[in-house]
Amino acid sequence: MKMFRRITVWSLCFIFLWSLQFIFNPVTVFGVGPEYVLCGVAALAMVENGKFAAIYGLVFGLMCDFCGSFFFGEKAILFMFAGWVIGNLCLKDVRINFVSALLFTAVPLTMGEMFSFICYAFREKIDFSFLLYIYLPKLALTVPVALLVWFGFRGLDKLMLKKEGVSGSW
């Protein structure tokens, strides 16, 4: 029952983040919005484990790819890999705090956008305005969202642990 509750809560959180990214999208600059789902994958990897975050990254990455991406499967692979790596890093030596939340969101975002840029450069003429009009606004919008999502997921995790009678998670 405990795991069912956790899966239900995290699934509802990810459905909310996905709908913010693709349906509502309240904040945009040059038509570019933040990567809410990537923020969720990074935050989930920090409060749960890498496998759990990788599964959510794969499922919701595929949902993001269905809504439109340069290559189908690009976000699914990126989110799955990011969730697995971040979760394993958090188990080893990395302290979990807001700085790590920012870095664990900014690095996969940069990797994904640069991969898209390189693949796009093979098909079209190279235009570095991509960095100015797509990457920088997306990074500037995603970093504050990463903090909000991390604090939200951390609070939900503490509430669920309190309800389960477990103490000392952090």
Side-chain angles (χ1 to χ4, degrees), residues 16-18 20-21 25-28 32-43 46 98 101-102 105-106 109 137-153:
F16 175 72
L17 291 173
W18 179 84
L20 275 178
Q21 186 167 342
N25 209 355
V27 179
T28 59
V32 177
E35 287 277 346
Y36 294 101
V37 177
L38 177 62
C39 296
V41 169
M46 287 187 271
F98 71 94
L102 296 177
T105 306
L109 176 69
K138 188 176 279 192
L139 183 66
L141 291 172
T142 302
V143 167
V145 168
L147 282 176
L148 294 173
V149 171
W150 178 69
F151 281 121
F153 275 36

Side-chain angles (χ1 to χ4, degrees), residues 102-115:
L102 296 177
L103 288 175
F104 286 151
T105 306
V107 170
L109 176 69
T110 303
M111 289 173 49
E113 293 301 319
M114 292 305 124
F115 175 74

Side-chain angles (χ1 to χ4, degrees), residues 58-69:
L58 177 66
V59 170
F60 283 91
L62 284 173
M63 287 178 64
C64 291
D65 286 332
F66 279 125
C67 291
S69 68

Side-chain angles (χ1 to χ4, degrees), residues 111-131:
M111 289 173 49
E113 293 301 319
M114 292 305 124
F115 175 74
S116 296
F117 174 70
I118 291 168
C119 292
Y120 183 74
F122 283 122
R123 288 183 47 197
E124 304 289 331
K125 181 182 172 196
I126 295 177
D127 185 13
F128 289 101
S129 65
F130 164 84
L131 296 174

Side-chain angles (χ1 to χ4, degrees), residues 4 10 14 18 22 27 43 47-48 52 55 60 69 78 94 101 110 113 119 132 136 139-140 145 147-148 155 163-164:
F4 179 73
W10 296 133
F14 271 91
W18 179 84
F22 290 101
V27 179
V47 298
E48 290 287 344
F52 203 71
I55 291 169
F60 283 91
S69 68
L78 173 71
V94 176
T110 303
E113 293 301 319
C119 292
L132 180 64
L136 290 178
L139 183 66
V145 168
L147 282 176
L148 294 173
K163 182 104 172 152
E164 293 166 4

